[in-house]
Amino acid sequence: MATGEQISKTSTRQEKAKAMGHSRFLVYQPRADDPETAFRTVVANTLVEAAPGYMRTIAAKVVDGFVIVAAEPVDQAKAEKLAGAIICGDDEQWARIRDKSGPTGLIAVKGGWREHHGKIPAVPGGHADLDAAAAATVAGKLVAGEHVVPGASGGSFSRQGVRVLNGKLTVRTVGAQVHTGWLVFGTVAL
């Protein structure tokens, strides 16, 4: 959890960045096996605040390309810490990523969230609740360390009271110790 001092420092850094005509971004992109897909998806869909109440895309970064900082997947928290150190640091190796006209950085992530889609298996009387139906939907499909995020499943299904009878679900999981996505980060001109 961030302390008041950390929040203040972060806010001050962002204010200085905006005053200098740029903004920083850090986005986790799941469901992207390759860095090119992750980069293009994030660049096409990410908004940054250019001024209070005024948002703009980071689409201009598509011209600048990307640099893979870490191809071997690391835990999401470690990836975020590394990205923060690069963006806020002064290591010359990563100066291009800090440059608003430079490439975007990418770090392979393991343990981040991902989604599984499937049919709810039928059981007499239905499943006790949505979380039980989600667990049954992904039974046998999860990898080491992966678990269902309680309350984060949705889809099209039939209920009888709180019991879930049938249908299809999208089940969100975390903790998989395999490649789950990419952390995409950098600096963009405002």
Side-chain angles (χ1 to χ4, degrees):
M1 185 170 167
T3 66
E5 184 178 314
Q6 289 170 321
I7 292 169
S8 175
K9 285 181 182 177
T10 301
S11 299
T12 302
R13 281 192 209 117
Q14 287 296 352
E15 288 167 13
K16 285 180 185 176
K18 285 181 186 175
M20 294 170 55
H22 66 274
S23 183
R24 297 174 179 138
F25 61 92
L26 180 124
V27 180
Y28 171 67
Q29 179 59 45
R31 301 181 307 271
D33 292 331
D34 66 284
E36 181 73 27
T37 300
F39 170 71
R40 294 212 175 269
T41 301
V42 168
V43 167
N45 297 307
T46 300
L47 297 173
V48 293
E49 187 174 17
Y54 174 69
M55 304 300 285
R56 69 176 289 239
T57 70
I58 62 168
K61 294 305 279 184
V62 76
V63 174
D64 304 327
F66 64 89
V67 173
I68 297 175
V69 173
E72 187 65 33
V74 298
D75 290 324
Q76 190 166 354
K78 185 175 181 181
E80 289 173 1
K81 185 175 181 178
L82 176 58
I86 289 171
I87 287 293
C88 297
D90 57 6
D91 185 339
E92 277 304 307
Q93 176 184 2
W94 305 115
R96 293 178 353 170
I97 294 173
R98 286 189 298 278
D99 185 336
K100 61 187 175 187
S101 299
T104 298
L106 273 77
I107 300 173
V109 173
K110 64 180 177 179
W113 68 269
R114 62 185 191 158
E115 293 177 339
H116 298 271
H117 306 277
K119 185 177 177 184
I120 301 168
V123 295
H127 299 275
D129 57 22
L130 187 56
D131 287 338
T137 301
V138 297
K141 298 177 185 174
L142 305 184
V143 299
E146 187 174 21
H147 60 277
V148 174
V149 177
S153 299
S156 174
F157 51 91
S158 299
R159 284 187 183 233
Q160 184 175 18
V162 296
R163 298 190 75 76
V164 177
L165 304 174
N166 57 45
K168 294 182 179 179
L169 284 180
T170 297
V171 180
R172 186 169 281 194
T173 63
V174 293
Q177 295 304 296
V178 296
H179 183 241
T180 57
W182 293 87
L183 190 67
V184 182
F185 64 99
T187 306
V188 64
L190 294 179

mmCIF file of all heavy atoms in Angstrom, residues 6-24:
data_model
loop_
_atom_site.group_PDB
_atom_site.id
_atom_site.type_symbol
_atom_site.label_atom_id
_atom_site.label_comp_id
_atom_site.label_asym_id
_atom_site.label_seq_id
_atom_site.Cartn_x
_atom_site.Cartn_y
_atom_site.Cartn_z
ATOM 1 N N GLN A 6 4.602 8.602 -0.562
ATOM 2 C CA GLN A 6 4.767 8.035 -1.894
ATOM 3 C C GLN A 6 3.746 8.618 -2.860
ATOM 4 O O GLN A 6 4.068 8.928 -3.992
ATOM 5 C CB GLN A 6 4.622 6.511 -1.847
ATOM 6 C CG GLN A 6 5.791 5.817 -1.180
ATOM 7 C CD GLN A 6 5.501 4.359 -0.928
ATOM 8 O OE1 GLN A 6 4.386 3.987 -0.563
ATOM 9 N NE2 GLN A 6 6.508 3.531 -1.111
ATOM 10 N N ILE A 7 2.506 8.758 -2.407
ATOM 11 C CA ILE A 7 1.468 9.326 -3.262
ATOM 12 C C ILE A 7 1.830 10.752 -3.630
ATOM 13 O O ILE A 7 1.720 11.162 -4.774
ATOM 14 C CB ILE A 7 0.088 9.252 -2.568
ATOM 15 C CG1 ILE A 7 -0.339 7.792 -2.457
ATOM 16 C CG2 ILE A 7 -0.954 10.077 -3.314
ATOM 17 C CD1 ILE A 7 -1.542 7.564 -1.582
ATOM 18 N N SER A 8 2.303 11.510 -2.656
ATOM 19 C CA SER A 8 2.698 12.896 -2.900
ATOM 20 C C SER A 8 3.829 12.961 -3.918
ATOM 21 O O SER A 8 3.809 13.769 -4.835
ATOM 22 C CB SER A 8 3.130 13.553 -1.585
ATOM 23 O OG SER A 8 3.616 14.838 -1.845
ATOM 24 N N LYS A 9 4.834 12.089 -3.780
ATOM 25 C CA LYS A 9 5.953 12.078 -4.719
ATOM 26 C C LYS A 9 5.473 11.706 -6.118
ATOM 27 O O LYS A 9 5.888 12.294 -7.102
ATOM 28 C CB LYS A 9 7.037 11.097 -4.261
ATOM 29 C CG LYS A 9 7.861 11.599 -3.101
ATOM 30 C CD LYS A 9 8.911 10.590 -2.720
ATOM 31 C CE LYS A 9 9.707 11.072 -1.511
ATOM 32 N NZ LYS A 9 10.681 10.066 -1.086
ATOM 33 N N THR A 10 4.575 10.717 -6.210
ATOM 34 C CA THR A 10 4.047 10.298 -7.502
ATOM 35 C C THR A 10 3.274 11.437 -8.143
ATOM 36 O O THR A 10 3.449 11.738 -9.318
ATOM 37 C CB THR A 10 3.144 9.058 -7.340
ATOM 38 O OG1 THR A 10 3.925 8.023 -6.758
ATOM 39 C CG2 THR A 10 2.595 8.594 -8.674
ATOM 40 N N SER A 11 2.409 12.098 -7.365
ATOM 41 C CA SER A 11 1.629 13.210 -7.890
ATOM 42 C C SER A 11 2.550 14.318 -8.373
ATOM 43 O O SER A 11 2.330 14.898 -9.433
ATOM 44 C CB SER A 11 0.681 13.754 -6.816
ATOM 45 O OG SER A 11 -0.220 12.754 -6.419
ATOM 46 N N THR A 12 3.581 14.619 -7.611
ATOM 47 C CA THR A 12 4.525 15.665 -7.993
ATOM 48 C C THR A 12 5.234 15.293 -9.289
ATOM 49 O O THR A 12 5.389 16.121 -10.178
ATOM 50 C CB THR A 12 5.557 15.896 -6.863
ATOM 51 O OG1 THR A 12 4.840 16.239 -5.673
ATOM 52 C CG2 THR A 12 6.528 16.995 -7.219
ATOM 53 N N ARG A 13 5.650 14.034 -9.430
ATOM 54 C CA ARG A 13 6.313 13.589 -10.661
ATOM 55 C C ARG A 13 5.382 13.746 -11.854
ATOM 56 O O ARG A 13 5.782 14.193 -12.910
ATOM 57 C CB ARG A 13 6.751 12.124 -10.539
ATOM 58 C CG ARG A 13 8.016 11.930 -9.765
ATOM 59 C CD ARG A 13 8.523 10.502 -9.935
ATOM 60 N NE ARG A 13 9.252 10.139 -8.757
ATOM 61 C CZ ARG A 13 8.927 9.168 -7.927
ATOM 62 N NH1 ARG A 13 7.907 8.404 -8.168
ATOM 63 N NH2 ARG A 13 9.633 8.914 -6.856
ATOM 64 N N GLN A 14 4.107 13.342 -11.693
ATOM 65 C CA GLN A 14 3.149 13.448 -12.785
ATOM 66 C C GLN A 14 2.911 14.910 -13.153
ATOM 67 O O GLN A 14 2.809 15.255 -14.314
ATOM 68 C CB GLN A 14 1.824 12.761 -12.425
ATOM 69 C CG GLN A 14 1.898 11.255 -12.424
ATOM 70 C CD GLN A 14 2.188 10.660 -13.798
ATOM 71 O OE1 GLN A 14 2.210 11.324 -14.820
ATOM 72 N NE2 GLN A 14 2.439 9.368 -13.824
ATOM 73 N N GLU A 15 2.812 15.789 -12.151
ATOM 74 C CA GLU A 15 2.611 17.211 -12.424
ATOM 75 C C GLU A 15 3.806 17.779 -13.186
ATOM 76 O O GLU A 15 3.638 18.532 -14.142
ATOM 77 C CB GLU A 15 2.400 17.976 -11.112
ATOM 78 C CG GLU A 15 1.052 17.693 -10.474
ATOM 79 C CD GLU A 15 0.948 18.194 -9.036
ATOM 80 O OE1 GLU A 15 1.818 18.980 -8.599
ATOM 81 O OE2 GLU A 15 -0.002 17.785 -8.358
ATOM 82 N N LYS A 16 5.021 17.404 -12.784
ATOM 83 C CA LYS A 16 6.221 17.862 -13.491
ATOM 84 C C LYS A 16 6.227 17.331 -14.923
ATOM 85 O O LYS A 16 6.573 18.047 -15.857
ATOM 86 C CB LYS A 16 7.486 17.391 -12.768
ATOM 87 C CG LYS A 16 7.797 18.161 -11.507
ATOM 88 C CD LYS A 16 9.066 17.621 -10.869
ATOM 89 C CE LYS A 16 9.346 18.287 -9.535
ATOM 90 N NZ LYS A 16 10.515 17.692 -8.869
ATOM 91 N N ALA A 17 5.847 16.062 -15.087
ATOM 92 C CA ALA A 17 5.823 15.465 -16.425
ATOM 93 C C ALA A 17 4.847 16.225 -17.323
ATOM 94 O O ALA A 17 5.171 16.548 -18.466
ATOM 95 C CB ALA A 17 5.426 13.990 -16.339
ATOM 96 N N LYS A 18 3.650 16.527 -16.808
ATOM 97 C CA LYS A 18 2.666 17.258 -17.608
ATOM 98 C C LYS A 18 3.171 18.648 -17.940
ATOM 99 O O LYS A 18 2.978 19.137 -19.049
ATOM 100 C CB LYS A 18 1.330 17.336 -16.875
ATOM 101 C CG LYS A 18 0.582 16.028 -16.898
ATOM 102 C CD LYS A 18 -0.745 16.143 -16.185
ATOM 103 C CE LYS A 18 -1.404 14.777 -16.111
ATOM 104 N NZ LYS A 18 -2.623 14.810 -15.341
ATOM 105 N N ALA A 19 3.833 19.287 -16.989
ATOM 106 C CA ALA A 19 4.373 20.624 -17.229
ATOM 107 C C ALA A 19 5.434 20.574 -18.330
ATOM 108 O O ALA A 19 5.624 21.541 -19.063
ATOM 109 C CB ALA A 19 4.959 21.197 -15.946
ATOM 110 N N MET A 20 6.117 19.450 -18.454
ATOM 111 C CA MET A 20 7.166 19.297 -19.464
ATOM 112 C C MET A 20 6.591 18.767 -20.779
ATOM 113 O O MET A 20 7.327 18.454 -21.705
ATOM 114 C CB MET A 20 8.268 18.386 -18.935
ATOM 115 C CG MET A 20 9.012 18.990 -17.752
ATOM 116 S SD MET A 20 10.138 17.850 -16.921
ATOM 117 C CE MET A 20 11.180 17.302 -18.242
ATOM 118 N N GLY A 21 5.261 18.596 -20.862
ATOM 119 C CA GLY A 21 4.628 18.189 -22.111
ATOM 120 C C GLY A 21 4.606 16.703 -22.382
ATOM 121 O O GLY A 21 4.523 16.288 -23.527
ATOM 122 N N HIS A 22 4.690 15.894 -21.340
ATOM 123 C CA HIS A 22 4.589 14.459 -21.550
ATOM 124 C C HIS A 22 3.878 13.790 -20.378
ATOM 125 O O HIS A 22 3.700 14.389 -19.334
ATOM 126 C CB HIS A 22 5.961 13.828 -21.791
ATOM 127 C CG HIS A 22 6.888 13.877 -20.617
ATOM 128 N ND1 HIS A 22 7.700 14.952 -20.355
ATOM 129 C CD2 HIS A 22 7.137 12.970 -19.636
ATOM 130 C CE1 HIS A 22 8.412 14.715 -19.265
ATOM 131 N NE2 HIS A 22 8.091 13.521 -18.806
ATOM 132 N N SER A 23 3.455 12.567 -20.623
ATOM 133 C CA SER A 23 2.789 11.781 -19.590
ATOM 134 C C SER A 23 3.343 10.366 -19.641
ATOM 135 O O SER A 23 3.740 9.880 -20.694
ATOM 136 C CB SER A 23 1.276 11.755 -19.846
ATOM 137 O OG SER A 23 0.617 11.059 -18.806
ATOM 138 N N ARG A 24 3.367 9.722 -18.495
ATOM 139 C CA ARG A 24 3.858 8.341 -18.404
ATOM 140 C C ARG A 24 2.671 7.388 -18.366
ATOM 141 O O ARG A 24 1.611 7.741 -17.868
ATOM 142 C CB ARG A 24 4.703 8.185 -17.155
ATOM 143 C CG ARG A 24 5.930 9.068 -17.201
ATOM 144 C CD ARG A 24 6.697 9.013 -15.903
ATOM 145 N NE ARG A 24 7.869 9.854 -16.020
ATOM 146 C CZ ARG A 24 8.287 10.657 -15.078
ATOM 147 N NH1 ARG A 24 7.647 10.712 -13.929
ATOM 148 N NH2 ARG A 24 9.358 11.377 -15.255
#
